[in-house]
Amino acid sequence: MERVRITRIVAECDVDRLKDWVRIIEKNHTVHRIHEPRKTLVMAKARDSATFDPFYLGEVLATECTVEVDDNIGFGLVIGDQPERAYMIAVIDASFNGRLPEMGDILPSMMDEEKKISEKQKMELAHSGRTRVNFETMGDVNG
């Protein structure tokens, strides 16, 4: 499984499931916090729907954490004030980077969680689609 996919899963999965995965790592490996979870501001980038030019919406509160698991560095970054999740994401990231054997046990569970996340997103999209408003941009009024 590729890093981007794992990152999406751990950022959105159930926190109790994430705790289970991290406990497996902590039980068998030494976890050292290089940087404790801390709040930070990151720029939110978006794309203009008319010109497709990128622009920055503004700053977003996030929480970041850096850990070391058996000489493997991991980084966690999550939107909002979520120190526990940032730490756990960093542990999973370090475990993935180090190709720890426990990741082989965790990956099937991650795939199950990915399916749940996907179903939840589909339901939310369907729900929000019912209230969607169509806006048209005005063209040149002179024709």
Side-chain angles (χ1 to χ4, degrees), residues 121-140:
Q121 288 173 340
K122 285 178 188 175
M123 289 176 55
E124 289 173 354
L125 184 60
H127 180 71
S128 67
R130 291 188 296 240
T131 60
R132 181 170 289 154
V133 178
N134 286 327
F135 291 96
E136 293 188 28
T137 38
M138 294 178 66
D140 184 7

Side-chain angles (χ1 to χ4, degrees), residues 37-137:
R38 59 185 176 206
K39 292 181 232 175
T40 187
L41 293 173
V42 295
M43 293 298 290
K45 194 173 186 179
R47 188 168 297 279
D48 184 291
S49 61
T51 64
F52 302 106
D53 291 331
F55 68 96
Y56 291 99
L57 287 170
E59 295 176 323
V60 175
L61 176 68
T63 308
E64 64 182 359
C65 180
T66 307
V67 301
E68 183 178 20
V69 178
D70 294 346
D71 299 324
N72 303 296
I73 302 297
F75 181 73
L77 178 69
V78 64
I79 294 174
D81 184 9
Q82 301 184 67
E84 185 178 35
R85 186 178 288 269
Y87 164 76
M88 292 186 292
I89 289 172
V91 170
I92 296 295
D93 186 53
S95 302
F96 176 80
N97 291 340
R99 294 177 170 77
L100 300 183
E102 290 81 4
M103 287 303 291
D105 298 331
I106 293 170
L107 287 176
S109 178
M110 280 188 169
M111 291 168 63
D112 291 341
E113 199 66 22
E114 183 180 40
K115 289 176 189 171
K116 290 178 188 175
I117 292 166
S118 178
E119 288 302 315
K120 180 181 174 189
Q121 288 173 340
K122 285 178 188 175
M123 289 176 55
E124 289 173 354
L125 184 60
H127 180 71
S128 67
R130 291 188 296 240
T131 60
R132 181 170 289 154
V133 178
N134 286 327
F135 291 96
E136 293 188 28
T137 38

Side-chain angles (χ1 to χ4, degrees), residues 1-10 73-75 92-94 96-98:
M1 188 180 290
E2 59 278 351
R3 166 183 255 131
V4 172
R5 194 169 159 198
I6 289 175
T7 301
R8 280 192 203 121
I9 295 168
V10 296
I73 302 297
F75 181 73
I92 296 295
D93 186 53
F96 176 80
N97 291 340

